[in-house]
Every structure is written in C-alpha cells, then in structure tokens.
C-alpha cells in the first residue's frame, strides 16, 4: 500500500512539473535591453562639385528580443531624425526625417537624439531608450589608389565622391582597408549610350576606364555593434552583395 502511495505521489509530481514548466520558462524569459548610449556615424556625399550633403544610417540593436515581439511608439527627441523597426533584425533603424530634407539640415558632429520605444513580447511591455550621439564616420580606407594618385585622405568621411581622371589606356585600381574593415569586391560601372553594365575586377588590377562612370567598392566592418545578432531569414538587404547591415559600399564617381 505504501509502495502504491509513493508511486501515485511521484506520478502527480510529474504531472505538476509538466503543467508549470511553461509558466516557469515564461517567468525566466529575459527582458529586452538596448544600449543606454550609443555613437552613430554620419557620412557625406559629394558626387559633384559644390555638393556636400550629409546622411545618417545606423541601428540600435536589442538584446533578448523575441522573434514574435512587436515594437511600437518609436519616438525621437530630435525631429530631424526618425526610426522604425527593420524586418529580420533585432533592431530599430535610424534615419533622417522628412523635416531633415525639407529644412536642408546637415548633421553636426556631436549632435544628439534620444530614441525611445516600447517592446511588446511574452505578454509584457518594456519601455526602452537610447541616447545617440552623431559623429563623423571613421576612415574606411587606408589607401585608395586610382592610377598613381592616392585619394584616401580626400574621401575620408564620404560614402560617395568624385574626381576627374584620365581615361586613356588602362589604370590600376588598388584599395586597402583601414582598421576594423575588410574589402569584399570592386566593380566598375560603365555607360555607353543607353547601355549600362558593371564589371568586377581584382584588387590591384589594371582596367580600362573608357566610358566608366564610377568605381564601386563593397566592404564590411569586422567590429560588430553591441547586441548585434545575425539577420533572420526574413531580412531583406538593399543591395546585392550586402547580406547583413555590416556591409556597405563606397562610390567613386568619375567626371
């Protein structure tokens, strides 16, 4: 009889554990967090003489963000900047607002904005915020040689630049990445009449620049941002060859 009671007790204990396990797991779920402060870098664009625009592109990554979480009530204390949830990422994406473009605003070194938002997951709501400081983008290239000239110092801080160079014969194009960056590939964009096409070249290779409109270099950072997580299968990148937000590109326009 005692043996039967022990067996029944053990059985009920097992049933109880099975019943409360989901509750325990839910209670143990970690709350989402984001950096309290963060630096985001801005770049300049100077594709033509006399043009000098600035742009901001970056992310605030969220640790412990559930795949089923929703992010609502995103606000920016600086109305020149805005943010939205980026599909496939554990992050909100920072960008410039409509007001930024209407007013012709230019990002200033040291300019700030606090981004606040609400994460809804596991039946709970969490209020998060991050104070962002904008700074000039660090150098991506240690050297950027087109022919015999090194443009590295001139293009520092730009995502797009331009220069008038010789188109005769073949020109060597050789690029070296700065610390925390790696070169992925180099392409030359050509246009002849209504026909446009691109051609990949090896780093250090000589190529014809006749009818070329730009030299485009795709690179990625080897230094991952705080709380960065590889994108999910539903992430959609903007440009071919840039599978994660760690990738970017620089365009050297030819006048």
């Amino acid at each position: 009889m005692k043996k039967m009671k022990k067996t029944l007790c053990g059985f009920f204990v097992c049933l109880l554990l099975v019943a409360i396990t989901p509750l325990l797991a839910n209670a143990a779920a970690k709350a989402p967090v984001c950096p309290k402060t963060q630096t985001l870098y801005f770049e300049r664009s100077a594709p033509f003489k006399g043009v000098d625009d600035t742009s901001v592109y970056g992310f605030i990554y969220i640790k412990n963000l559930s795949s089923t979480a929703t992010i609502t009530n995103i606000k920016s204390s600086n109305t020149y900047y805005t943010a939205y949830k980026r599909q496939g990422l554990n992050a909100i994406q920072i960008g410039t607002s409509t007001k930024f473009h209407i007013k012709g605003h230019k990002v200033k070194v040291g300019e700030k904005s606090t981004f606040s938002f609400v994460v809804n997951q596991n039946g709970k709501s969490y209020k998060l915020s991050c104070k962002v400081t904008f700074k000039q983008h660090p150098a991506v290239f240690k050297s950027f040689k087109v022919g015999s000239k090194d443009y590295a110092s001139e293009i520092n801080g730009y995502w797009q630049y331009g220069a008038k160079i010789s188109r005769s014969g073949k020109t060597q194009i050789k690029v070296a990445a700065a610390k925390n960056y790696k070169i992925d590939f180099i392409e030359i964009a050509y246009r002849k009449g209504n026909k446009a096409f691109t051609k990949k070249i090896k780093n250090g290779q000589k190529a014809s620049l006749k009818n070329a409109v730009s030299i485009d270099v795709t690179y990625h950072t080897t230094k991952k941002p705080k709380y960065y997580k590889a994108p999910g299968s539903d992430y959609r990148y903007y440009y071919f060859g840039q599978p994660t937000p760690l990738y970017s590109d620089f365009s050297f326009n030819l006048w």
Side-chain angles (χ1 to χ4, degrees):
M1 189 68 178
K2 286 182 179 180
K3 186 176 181 180
M4 184 179 292
K5 284 182 179 181
K6 287 182 179 180
T7 302
L8 288 173
C9 286
F11 176 72
F12 285 123
V13 168
C14 289
L15 285 178
L16 182 62
L17 288 172
V18 170
I20 67 172
T21 294
L23 297 176
L24 291 172
N26 189 54
K30 295 181 179 179
V33 293
C34 71
K36 296 296 181 184
T37 59
Q38 183 171 315
T39 297
L40 284 184
Y41 298 104
F42 69 89
E43 294 178 298
R44 298 183 181 279
S45 170
F48 305 105
K49 291 180 180 178
V51 176
D52 190 6
D53 293 328
T54 55
S55 62
V56 167
Y57 173 85
F59 302 87
I60 296 174
Y61 290 95
I62 306 164
K63 186 179 180 181
N64 303 326
L65 185 69
S66 168
S67 59
T68 57
T70 59
I71 298 178
T72 58
N73 204 30
I74 303 175
K75 295 179 180 179
S76 170
S77 64
N78 187 330
T79 54
Y80 285 122
Y81 306 97
T82 187
Y84 59 93
K85 173 67 173 75
R86 182 67 186 277
Q87 184 178 351
L89 294 179
N90 64 317
I92 59 171
Q93 181 169 335
I94 310 301
T96 52
S97 67
T98 302
K99 180 182 176 181
F100 181 99
H101 301 284
I102 292 175
K103 296 289 186 179
H105 184 70
K106 286 182 170 55
V107 190
K108 302 176 183 65
V109 175
E111 192 171 4
K112 301 178 187 296
S113 182
T114 298
F115 294 90
S116 59
F117 50 96
V118 176
V119 175
N120 305 286
Q121 67 180 36
N122 300 324
K124 294 183 179 181
S125 294
Y126 304 87
K127 292 182 179 180
L128 303 180
S129 67
C130 178
K131 187 175 184 179
V132 171
T133 301
F134 298 105
K135 292 184 179 181
Q136 180 80 31
H137 201 290
V140 172
F141 305 106
K142 183 164 50 177
S143 65
F144 194 102
K145 292 183 178 180
V146 180
S148 60
K149 184 170 180 179
D150 189 350
Y151 291 89
S153 61
E154 293 182 36
I155 66 178
N156 183 19
Y158 288 86
W159 68 270
Q160 187 171 226
Y161 201 77
K164 187 176 181 179
I165 64 174
S166 173
R167 305 297 185 93
S168 62
K170 289 191 174 183
T171 304
Q172 184 183 43
I173 299 164
K174 191 173 184 180
V175 180
K179 183 180 179 181
N180 297 326
Y181 292 95
K182 185 176 180 180
I183 306 300
D184 292 287
F185 58 87
I186 301 172
E187 281 185 324
I188 301 177
Y190 295 91
R191 179 176 290 278
K192 188 175 182 180
N194 294 324
K195 186 179 179 182
F197 60 96
T198 61
K199 180 182 178 181
K200 279 188 179 182
I201 65 167
K202 292 181 179 179
N203 198 353
Q205 180 181 334
K206 286 186 176 182
S208 171
L209 296 181
K210 184 179 180 181
N211 299 317
V213 293
S214 67
I215 300 168
D216 303 314
V217 181
T218 294
Y219 61 90
H220 70 272
T221 177
T222 56
K223 187 177 180 181
K224 296 178 181 178
K226 190 172 184 179
Y227 301 147
Y228 170 82
K229 185 179 177 182
S233 58
D234 55 341
Y235 172 71
R236 296 291 179 269
Y237 51 86
Y238 291 137
Y239 302 107
F240 181 76
Q242 299 179 19
T244 78
L246 301 180
Y247 287 73
S248 191
D249 70 300
F250 171 78
S251 185
F252 188 88
N253 296 305
L254 305 178
W255 296 335

